Amino acid sequence: IMELLAERAEGYARFPQISTDNKSIEQVATEIQLLMNKRIIGVTYPGGSYNVTIGSDLLPHVRELAGIIGPAAVVTDSNVGPLYANQVRGDMVITIPAGEQFKTLATVNQLYGQLLAAGLDRQGTIIALGGGVVGDVAGFIAATFMRGIDFVQIPTSLLAMVDASVGGKTGVDLPEGKNLVGAFKQPKIVLADLLTLSTLPDEEFSAGMAEVIKGGIIADPELFALVEAQAVQLMSRSNADPDLLAVVVGNSDEVKRKIVQEDPYEQGRRAVLNLGHTFGHAIEQVSGYSVRHGEGVAMGLVASAHMSATLGHCSSELEPRIVQVLNSVALPTQIPQEWQAEAIFAAMASDKKKATGRLRFVLPRAIGDVFVTGQVSEDEVLETLRYCG
């Protein structure tokens, strides 16, 4: 039976999975009803699986959809908490200040104390309600508190819906760089409630589109072409077709699902998801994190395309096409001149994506075709940085 399950895992993952353990017939029926008319993507990993559920009006049904029985602590931030925390029906709400600068071990230590004071034990569940920072912090806490407790992801930003909430990577920053301390922690479920995007600031929505475009460049030319064709519709969110948003989020998650299933612990193929990130993370760091993650990634995508063309790996027409689609969703494509190329290169020195001391870059050959290389000289990196701003 175990061998058959392993052989069929990919097929089973194409469909929603509902656990019936310790549930009444009525509870199972309620879950089935809640899942109707929602897009559900099954993600498998060594030892288990979870669903990414994309739809509207999911927040009031978190306990049913996630199968939460014991106490649940909602971890959120000062922006999202006042808007949505009361809909989730957690037993306690813990709020951290909004912003990348609070994604630190000091914040984690503070939250450990609050969870202990509230009496949360190993039967508890951590619910991450917010963007990528909240998801990373809450996931890291769930991975380490009491040696690990259940974890539910509720991403409320586009960037978190299409990137940070899928794949099980969690972590916090050190002064030397981003995400240098972390753990893999798979969620019980990811619930992407598209209604939360209605309160997302325009600049944050744009930042999320950088990860959508990145996914298209990596492995989905049709997704990239959809954004090219529908950018105006997507950016006018009050008039946007909710089905269009569901397609964009769902197709982005499908790109990531396929890659993280192939490489759940980032030993090989998963590295392609770092397209634009070696440049982007360094730009964020040099800016003192005044640059949003998606904005850094956008600049990094242009830099990666330029470097690839310079090295002869792709057509010179690829870079302007990427620049055009990024501009269409209000993302920056030039690195501000006040940040020196040498300073950005120095920031890359602490990048955890290095291998055997060499920086690794993900470069595009074409839309839907990328590769990883460490064969790039310092001079070539500096030339690209200067060209891009």
mmCIF file with all atom_site columns, all heavy atoms in Angstrom, residues 294-315:
data_model
loop_
_atom_site.group_PDB
_atom_site.id
_atom_site.type_symbol
_atom_site.label_atom_id
_atom_site.label_alt_id
_atom_site.label_comp_id
_atom_site.label_asym_id
_atom_site.label_entity_id
_atom_site.label_seq_id
_atom_site.pdbx_PDB_ins_code
_atom_site.Cartn_x
_atom_site.Cartn_y
_atom_site.Cartn_z
_atom_site.occupancy
_atom_site.B_iso_or_equiv
_atom_site.pdbx_formal_charge
_atom_site.auth_seq_id
_atom_site.auth_comp_id
_atom_site.auth_asym_id
_atom_site.auth_atom_id
_atom_site.pdbx_PDB_model_num
ATOM 1   N N   . GLY A 1 294 ? 9.575  42.975 -3.671  1.00 0.00 ? 294 GLY A N   1
ATOM 2   C CA  . GLY A 1 294 ? 9.183  42.865 -5.066  1.00 0.00 ? 294 GLY A CA  1
ATOM 3   C C   . GLY A 1 294 ? 9.860  43.895 -5.959  1.00 0.00 ? 294 GLY A C   1
ATOM 4   O O   . GLY A 1 294 ? 10.175 43.617 -7.122  1.00 0.00 ? 294 GLY A O   1
ATOM 5   N N   . GLU A 1 295 ? 10.097 45.083 -5.427  1.00 0.00 ? 295 GLU A N   1
ATOM 6   C CA  . GLU A 1 295 ? 10.799 46.112 -6.192  1.00 0.00 ? 295 GLU A CA  1
ATOM 7   C C   . GLU A 1 295 ? 12.248 45.697 -6.433  1.00 0.00 ? 295 GLU A C   1
ATOM 8   O O   . GLU A 1 295 ? 12.786 45.888 -7.529  1.00 0.00 ? 295 GLU A O   1
ATOM 9   C CB  . GLU A 1 295 ? 10.731 47.441 -5.442  1.00 0.00 ? 295 GLU A CB  1
ATOM 10  C CG  . GLU A 1 295 ? 9.320  48.015 -5.346  1.00 0.00 ? 295 GLU A CG  1
ATOM 11  C CD  . GLU A 1 295 ? 9.193  49.167 -4.368  1.00 0.00 ? 295 GLU A CD  1
ATOM 12  O OE1 . GLU A 1 295 ? 10.106 49.344 -3.525  1.00 0.00 ? 295 GLU A OE1 1
ATOM 13  O OE2 . GLU A 1 295 ? 8.186  49.895 -4.440  1.00 0.00 ? 295 GLU A OE2 1
ATOM 14  N N   . GLY A 1 296 ? 12.890 45.132 -5.391  1.00 0.00 ? 296 GLY A N   1
ATOM 15  C CA  . GLY A 1 296 ? 14.253 44.634 -5.565  1.00 0.00 ? 296 GLY A CA  1
ATOM 16  C C   . GLY A 1 296 ? 14.312 43.511 -6.587  1.00 0.00 ? 296 GLY A C   1
ATOM 17  O O   . GLY A 1 296 ? 15.223 43.449 -7.422  1.00 0.00 ? 296 GLY A O   1
ATOM 18  N N   . VAL A 1 297 ? 13.321 42.608 -6.540  1.00 0.00 ? 297 VAL A N   1
ATOM 19  C CA  . VAL A 1 297 ? 13.271 41.505 -7.500  1.00 0.00 ? 297 VAL A CA  1
ATOM 20  C C   . VAL A 1 297 ? 13.092 42.047 -8.920  1.00 0.00 ? 297 VAL A C   1
ATOM 21  O O   . VAL A 1 297 ? 13.723 41.566 -9.868  1.00 0.00 ? 297 VAL A O   1
ATOM 22  C CB  . VAL A 1 297 ? 12.134 40.527 -7.147  1.00 0.00 ? 297 VAL A CB  1
ATOM 23  C CG1 . VAL A 1 297 ? 11.894 39.529 -8.283  1.00 0.00 ? 297 VAL A CG1 1
ATOM 24  C CG2 . VAL A 1 297 ? 12.461 39.774 -5.864  1.00 0.00 ? 297 VAL A CG2 1
ATOM 25  N N   . ALA A 1 298 ? 12.236 43.073 -9.074  1.00 0.00 ? 298 ALA A N   1
ATOM 26  C CA  . ALA A 1 298 ? 12.019 43.648 -10.401 1.00 0.00 ? 298 ALA A CA  1
ATOM 27  C C   . ALA A 1 298 ? 13.332 44.180 -10.984 1.00 0.00 ? 298 ALA A C   1
ATOM 28  O O   . ALA A 1 298 ? 13.674 43.907 -12.147 1.00 0.00 ? 298 ALA A O   1
ATOM 29  C CB  . ALA A 1 298 ? 10.981 44.771 -10.321 1.00 0.00 ? 298 ALA A CB  1
ATOM 30  N N   . MET A 1 299 ? 14.077 44.950 -10.195 1.00 0.00 ? 299 MET A N   1
ATOM 31  C CA  . MET A 1 299 ? 15.376 45.437 -10.659 1.00 0.00 ? 299 MET A CA  1
ATOM 32  C C   . MET A 1 299 ? 16.303 44.257 -10.958 1.00 0.00 ? 299 MET A C   1
ATOM 33  O O   . MET A 1 299 ? 17.071 44.279 -11.935 1.00 0.00 ? 299 MET A O   1
ATOM 34  C CB  . MET A 1 299 ? 16.004 46.335 -9.604  1.00 0.00 ? 299 MET A CB  1
ATOM 35  C CG  . MET A 1 299 ? 15.218 47.591 -9.275  1.00 0.00 ? 299 MET A CG  1
ATOM 36  S SD  . MET A 1 299 ? 16.059 48.557 -7.977  1.00 0.00 ? 299 MET A SD  1
ATOM 37  C CE  . MET A 1 299 ? 14.660 49.234 -7.080  1.00 0.00 ? 299 MET A CE  1
ATOM 38  N N   . GLY A 1 300 ? 16.230 43.221 -10.115 1.00 0.00 ? 300 GLY A N   1
ATOM 39  C CA  . GLY A 1 300 ? 17.067 42.039 -10.318 1.00 0.00 ? 300 GLY A CA  1
ATOM 40  C C   . GLY A 1 300 ? 16.721 41.276 -11.583 1.00 0.00 ? 300 GLY A C   1
ATOM 41  O O   . GLY A 1 300 ? 17.606 40.705 -12.232 1.00 0.00 ? 300 GLY A O   1
ATOM 42  N N   . LEU A 1 301 ? 15.438 41.255 -11.966 1.00 0.00 ? 301 LEU A N   1
ATOM 43  C CA  . LEU A 1 301 ? 15.047 40.573 -13.202 1.00 0.00 ? 301 LEU A CA  1
ATOM 44  C C   . LEU A 1 301 ? 15.668 41.259 -14.416 1.00 0.00 ? 301 LEU A C   1
ATOM 45  O O   . LEU A 1 301 ? 16.152 40.589 -15.341 1.00 0.00 ? 301 LEU A O   1
ATOM 46  C CB  . LEU A 1 301 ? 13.520 40.562 -13.332 1.00 0.00 ? 301 LEU A CB  1
ATOM 47  C CG  . LEU A 1 301 ? 12.740 39.725 -12.316 1.00 0.00 ? 301 LEU A CG  1
ATOM 48  C CD1 . LEU A 1 301 ? 11.241 39.891 -12.528 1.00 0.00 ? 301 LEU A CD1 1
ATOM 49  C CD2 . LEU A 1 301 ? 13.121 38.248 -12.404 1.00 0.00 ? 301 LEU A CD2 1
ATOM 50  N N   . VAL A 1 302 ? 15.658 42.594 -14.402 1.00 0.00 ? 302 VAL A N   1
ATOM 51  C CA  . VAL A 1 302 ? 16.263 43.336 -15.509 1.00 0.00 ? 302 VAL A CA  1
ATOM 52  C C   . VAL A 1 302 ? 17.770 43.093 -15.540 1.00 0.00 ? 302 VAL A C   1
ATOM 53  O O   . VAL A 1 302 ? 18.358 42.843 -16.600 1.00 0.00 ? 302 VAL A O   1
ATOM 54  C CB  . VAL A 1 302 ? 15.962 44.843 -15.385 1.00 0.00 ? 302 VAL A CB  1
ATOM 55  C CG1 . VAL A 1 302 ? 16.663 45.622 -16.497 1.00 0.00 ? 302 VAL A CG1 1
ATOM 56  C CG2 . VAL A 1 302 ? 14.462 45.080 -15.427 1.00 0.00 ? 302 VAL A CG2 1
ATOM 57  N N   . ALA A 1 303 ? 18.401 43.143 -14.374 1.00 0.00 ? 303 ALA A N   1
ATOM 58  C CA  . ALA A 1 303 ? 19.851 42.912 -14.302 1.00 0.00 ? 303 ALA A CA  1
ATOM 59  C C   . ALA A 1 303 ? 20.205 41.511 -14.799 1.00 0.00 ? 303 ALA A C   1
ATOM 60  O O   . ALA A 1 303 ? 21.190 41.319 -15.521 1.00 0.00 ? 303 ALA A O   1
ATOM 61  C CB  . ALA A 1 303 ? 20.341 43.119 -12.868 1.00 0.00 ? 303 ALA A CB  1
ATOM 62  N N   . SER A 1 304 ? 19.406 40.520 -14.409 1.00 0.00 ? 304 SER A N   1
ATOM 63  C CA  . SER A 1 304 ? 19.672 39.138 -14.827 1.00 0.00 ? 304 SER A CA  1
ATOM 64  C C   . SER A 1 304 ? 19.543 38.990 -16.344 1.00 0.00 ? 304 SER A C   1
ATOM 65  O O   . SER A 1 304 ? 20.343 38.293 -16.979 1.00 0.00 ? 304 SER A O   1
ATOM 66  C CB  . SER A 1 304 ? 18.706 38.183 -14.120 1.00 0.00 ? 304 SER A CB  1
ATOM 67  O OG  . SER A 1 304 ? 18.876 38.238 -12.723 1.00 0.00 ? 304 SER A OG  1
ATOM 68  N N   . ALA A 1 305 ? 18.524 39.635 -16.920 1.00 0.00 ? 305 ALA A N   1
ATOM 69  C CA  . ALA A 1 305 ? 18.344 39.559 -18.373 1.00 0.00 ? 305 ALA A CA  1
ATOM 70  C C   . ALA A 1 305 ? 19.491 40.246 -19.099 1.00 0.00 ? 305 ALA A C   1
ATOM 71  O O   . ALA A 1 305 ? 19.994 39.744 -20.117 1.00 0.00 ? 305 ALA A O   1
ATOM 72  C CB  . ALA A 1 305 ? 17.008 40.191 -18.764 1.00 0.00 ? 305 ALA A CB  1
ATOM 73  N N   . HIS A 1 306 ? 19.922 41.394 -18.571 1.00 0.00 ? 306 HIS A N   1
ATOM 74  C CA  . HIS A 1 306 ? 21.047 42.098 -19.198 1.00 0.00 ? 306 HIS A CA  1
ATOM 75  C C   . HIS A 1 306 ? 22.315 41.263 -19.117 1.00 0.00 ? 306 HIS A C   1
ATOM 76  O O   . HIS A 1 306 ? 23.043 41.130 -20.111 1.00 0.00 ? 306 HIS A O   1
ATOM 77  C CB  . HIS A 1 306 ? 21.267 43.449 -18.515 1.00 0.00 ? 306 HIS A CB  1
ATOM 78  C CG  . HIS A 1 306 ? 22.479 44.175 -19.031 1.00 0.00 ? 306 HIS A CG  1
ATOM 79  N ND1 . HIS A 1 306 ? 22.488 44.821 -20.242 1.00 0.00 ? 306 HIS A ND1 1
ATOM 80  C CD2 . HIS A 1 306 ? 23.730 44.303 -18.511 1.00 0.00 ? 306 HIS A CD2 1
ATOM 81  C CE1 . HIS A 1 306 ? 23.686 45.347 -20.440 1.00 0.00 ? 306 HIS A CE1 1
ATOM 82  N NE2 . HIS A 1 306 ? 24.455 45.044 -19.411 1.00 0.00 ? 306 HIS A NE2 1
ATOM 83  N N   . MET A 1 307 ? 22.590 40.692 -17.933 1.00 0.00 ? 307 MET A N   1
ATOM 84  C CA  . MET A 1 307 ? 23.786 39.873 -17.772 1.00 0.00 ? 307 MET A CA  1
ATOM 85  C C   . MET A 1 307 ? 23.744 38.665 -18.708 1.00 0.00 ? 307 MET A C   1
ATOM 86  O O   . MET A 1 307 ? 24.746 38.315 -19.338 1.00 0.00 ? 307 MET A O   1
ATOM 87  C CB  . MET A 1 307 ? 23.915 39.400 -16.320 1.00 0.00 ? 307 MET A CB  1
ATOM 88  C CG  . MET A 1 307 ? 25.105 38.487 -16.076 1.00 0.00 ? 307 MET A CG  1
ATOM 89  S SD  . MET A 1 307 ? 25.189 37.911 -14.363 1.00 0.00 ? 307 MET A SD  1
ATOM 90  C CE  . MET A 1 307 ? 25.820 39.396 -13.557 1.00 0.00 ? 307 MET A CE  1
ATOM 91  N N   . SER A 1 308 ? 22.570 38.041 -18.823 1.00 0.00 ? 308 SER A N   1
ATOM 92  C CA  . SER A 1 308 ? 22.457 36.875 -19.690 1.00 0.00 ? 308 SER A CA  1
ATOM 93  C C   . SER A 1 308 ? 22.722 37.240 -21.144 1.00 0.00 ? 308 SER A C   1
ATOM 94  O O   . SER A 1 308 ? 23.425 36.511 -21.859 1.00 0.00 ? 308 SER A O   1
ATOM 95  C CB  . SER A 1 308 ? 21.053 36.269 -19.545 1.00 0.00 ? 308 SER A CB  1
ATOM 96  O OG  . SER A 1 308 ? 20.956 35.054 -20.243 1.00 0.00 ? 308 SER A OG  1
ATOM 97  N N   . ALA A 1 309 ? 22.180 38.380 -21.594 1.00 0.00 ? 309 ALA A N   1
ATOM 98  C CA  . ALA A 1 309 ? 22.410 38.812 -22.973 1.00 0.00 ? 309 ALA A CA  1
ATOM 99  C C   . ALA A 1 309 ? 23.876 39.147 -23.199 1.00 0.00 ? 309 ALA A C   1
ATOM 100 O O   . ALA A 1 309 ? 24.462 38.797 -24.232 1.00 0.00 ? 309 ALA A O   1
ATOM 101 C CB  . ALA A 1 309 ? 21.528 40.017 -23.295 1.00 0.00 ? 309 ALA A CB  1
ATOM 102 N N   . THR A 1 310 ? 24.490 39.823 -22.208 1.00 0.00 ? 310 THR A N   1
ATOM 103 C CA  . THR A 1 310 ? 25.909 40.192 -22.319 1.00 0.00 ? 310 THR A CA  1
ATOM 104 C C   . THR A 1 310 ? 26.796 38.960 -22.442 1.00 0.00 ? 310 THR A C   1
ATOM 105 O O   . THR A 1 310 ? 27.783 38.951 -23.188 1.00 0.00 ? 310 THR A O   1
ATOM 106 C CB  . THR A 1 310 ? 26.333 41.024 -21.092 1.00 0.00 ? 310 THR A CB  1
ATOM 107 O OG1 . THR A 1 310 ? 25.546 42.213 -21.037 1.00 0.00 ? 310 THR A OG1 1
ATOM 108 C CG2 . THR A 1 310 ? 27.804 41.399 -21.181 1.00 0.00 ? 310 THR A CG2 1
ATOM 109 N N   . LEU A 1 311 ? 26.433 37.905 -21.719 1.00 0.00 ? 311 LEU A N   1
ATOM 110 C CA  . LEU A 1 311 ? 27.221 36.668 -21.738 1.00 0.00 ? 311 LEU A CA  1
ATOM 111 C C   . LEU A 1 311 ? 26.849 35.755 -22.906 1.00 0.00 ? 311 LEU A C   1
ATOM 112 O O   . LEU A 1 311 ? 27.415 34.677 -23.051 1.00 0.00 ? 311 LEU A O   1
ATOM 113 C CB  . LEU A 1 311 ? 27.039 35.913 -20.416 1.00 0.00 ? 311 LEU A CB  1
ATOM 114 C CG  . LEU A 1 311 ? 27.543 36.641 -19.157 1.00 0.00 ? 311 LEU A CG  1
ATOM 115 C CD1 . LEU A 1 311 ? 27.206 35.834 -17.906 1.00 0.00 ? 311 LEU A CD1 1
ATOM 116 C CD2 . LEU A 1 311 ? 29.048 36.892 -19.249 1.00 0.00 ? 311 LEU A CD2 1
ATOM 117 N N   . GLY A 1 312 ? 25.879 36.185 -23.721 1.00 0.00 ? 312 GLY A N   1
ATOM 118 C CA  . GLY A 1 312 ? 25.527 35.419 -24.912 1.00 0.00 ? 312 GLY A CA  1
ATOM 119 C C   . GLY A 1 312 ? 24.547 34.289 -24.697 1.00 0.00 ? 312 GLY A C   1
ATOM 120 O O   . GLY A 1 312 ? 24.424 33.398 -25.546 1.00 0.00 ? 312 GLY A O   1
ATOM 121 N N   . HIS A 1 313 ? 23.797 34.328 -23.574 1.00 0.00 ? 313 HIS A N   1
ATOM 122 C CA  . HIS A 1 313 ? 22.872 33.221 -23.278 1.00 0.00 ? 313 HIS A CA  1
ATOM 123 C C   . HIS A 1 313 ? 21.459 33.479 -23.768 1.00 0.00 ? 313 HIS A C   1
ATOM 124 O O   . HIS A 1 313 ? 20.639 32.553 -23.779 1.00 0.00 ? 313 HIS A O   1
ATOM 125 C CB  . HIS A 1 313 ? 22.842 32.959 -21.770 1.00 0.00 ? 313 HIS A CB  1
ATOM 126 C CG  . HIS A 1 313 ? 24.148 32.541 -21.196 1.00 0.00 ? 313 HIS A CG  1
ATOM 127 N ND1 . HIS A 1 313 ? 24.853 31.447 -21.649 1.00 0.00 ? 313 HIS A ND1 1
ATOM 128 C CD2 . HIS A 1 313 ? 24.908 33.088 -20.189 1.00 0.00 ? 313 HIS A CD2 1
ATOM 129 C CE1 . HIS A 1 313 ? 25.977 31.314 -20.956 1.00 0.00 ? 313 HIS A CE1 1
ATOM 130 N NE2 . HIS A 1 313 ? 26.032 32.304 -20.075 1.00 0.00 ? 313 HIS A NE2 1
ATOM 131 N N   . CYS A 1 314 ? 21.132 34.724 -24.107 1.00 0.00 ? 314 CYS A N   1
ATOM 132 C CA  . CYS A 1 314 ? 19.767 35.014 -24.564 1.00 0.00 ? 314 CYS A CA  1
ATOM 133 C C   . CYS A 1 314 ? 19.793 36.145 -25.581 1.00 0.00 ? 314 CYS A C   1
ATOM 134 O O   . CYS A 1 314 ? 20.805 36.841 -25.739 1.00 0.00 ? 314 CYS A O   1
ATOM 135 C CB  . CYS A 1 314 ? 18.858 35.377 -23.389 1.00 0.00 ? 314 CYS A CB  1
ATOM 136 S SG  . CYS A 1 314 ? 19.148 37.017 -22.678 1.00 0.00 ? 314 CYS A SG  1
ATOM 137 N N   . SER A 1 315 ? 18.680 36.323 -26.240 1.00 0.00 ? 315 SER A N   1
ATOM 138 C CA  . SER A 1 315 ? 18.534 37.386 -27.234 1.00 0.00 ? 315 SER A CA  1
ATOM 139 C C   . SER A 1 315 ? 18.544 38.755 -26.556 1.00 0.00 ? 315 SER A C   1
ATOM 140 O O   . SER A 1 315 ? 18.067 38.919 -25.427 1.00 0.00 ? 315 SER A O   1
ATOM 141 C CB  . SER A 1 315 ? 17.228 37.191 -27.998 1.00 0.00 ? 315 SER A CB  1
ATOM 142 O OG  . SER A 1 315 ? 16.880 38.359 -28.705 1.00 0.00 ? 315 SER A OG  1
#
